[in-house]
Amino acid sequence: MKPVTGSLEDGFVRLQQSLRSYLRRRLPDAAQVDDVLQDIFLKAIVSQQAGRSIENLSGWLYAAARTGVADYFRHRGVATDTLDEDLATSADADGLQLHTDLSSCLRAFIDQLPPHYRDTLLATELEGRPLRALAQEQGVSVSAIKSRAARGRRMLKARLLACCHVEMKDGLVSDYHRRSSDDYDGGCA
């Protein structure tokens, strides 16, 4: 067997975290993510050793990741037509999809909050309504609205962290994935 060439190994190392993030959002737990990631690298090595040239390594690895996810669900009898066919080809596209997915997840958690916290967060954080206008509309003080918003954010954060593993980098979410059902006591959206 020929050793792995620097360009394949370097490319895989460079894209490994992005591939892992892509797979985490599509597979149920970290063990499956690691298995599929290992299979992808093995397929790349075998392809290279067979003399096939991989022109676009990033595209090839993401295509292999998509196929790996489809194979995982196919072997378990799950219909694959519901899988996301949009293939992320850059860190920007992957980051945008991450934030889109997380936003929809947060909305479900917000909807589970008690009504006055939910309504306050929706009005102030999502609709961008001024605190003063909301306070006048509800007949309460601005400080009451600030308190509700702060409590609502704390409740939202607690629920999110109970249901999801969130990774931060430079103050921004860099990755997240839902915890397995064994890791939390239920109530996750």
Side-chain angles (χ1 to χ4, degrees), residues 17 23 32 43 53 65-66 81 96-97 100 105 110 114 139 148 156 161 183:
Q17 198 56 32
L23 292 169
Q32 281 91 18
K43 286 177 185 179
S53 175
R66 185 175 60 202
D81 60 340
L96 180 60
Q97 185 63 43
T100 301
C105 182
I110 290 172
R148 286 181 188 175
L156 178 61
L161 293 178
D183 293 342

Side-chain angles (χ1 to χ4, degrees), residues 109 158-165 177-180 184 186-189:
F109 288 140
R159 181 166 300 264
L160 175 68
L161 293 178
C163 296
C164 300
H165 171 78
H177 62 274
R178 186 175 294 279
R179 296 184 190 281
S180 69
Y184 61 85
C188 295

Side-chain angles (χ1 to χ4, degrees), residues 60-85:
W60 192 95
L61 290 172
Y62 274 100
R66 185 175 60 202
T67 302
V69 170
D71 289 346
Y72 170 84
F73 285 106
R74 190 177 303 115
H75 288 359
R76 282 151 186 80
V78 177
T80 57
D81 60 340
T82 61
L83 295 176
D84 181 8
E85 292 299 323

Side-chain angles (χ1 to χ4, degrees), residues 1-4 45 48-51:
M1 272 183 125
K2 295 189 307 189
V4 177
I45 292 171
Q48 186 179 45
Q49 289 177 345

Side-chain angles (χ1 to χ4, degrees), residues 137-151:
E137 179 183 303
Q138 294 184 5
V140 296
S141 67
V142 174
S143 65
I145 294 296
K146 286 181 182 179
S147 294
R148 286 181 188 175
R151 284 188 198 120

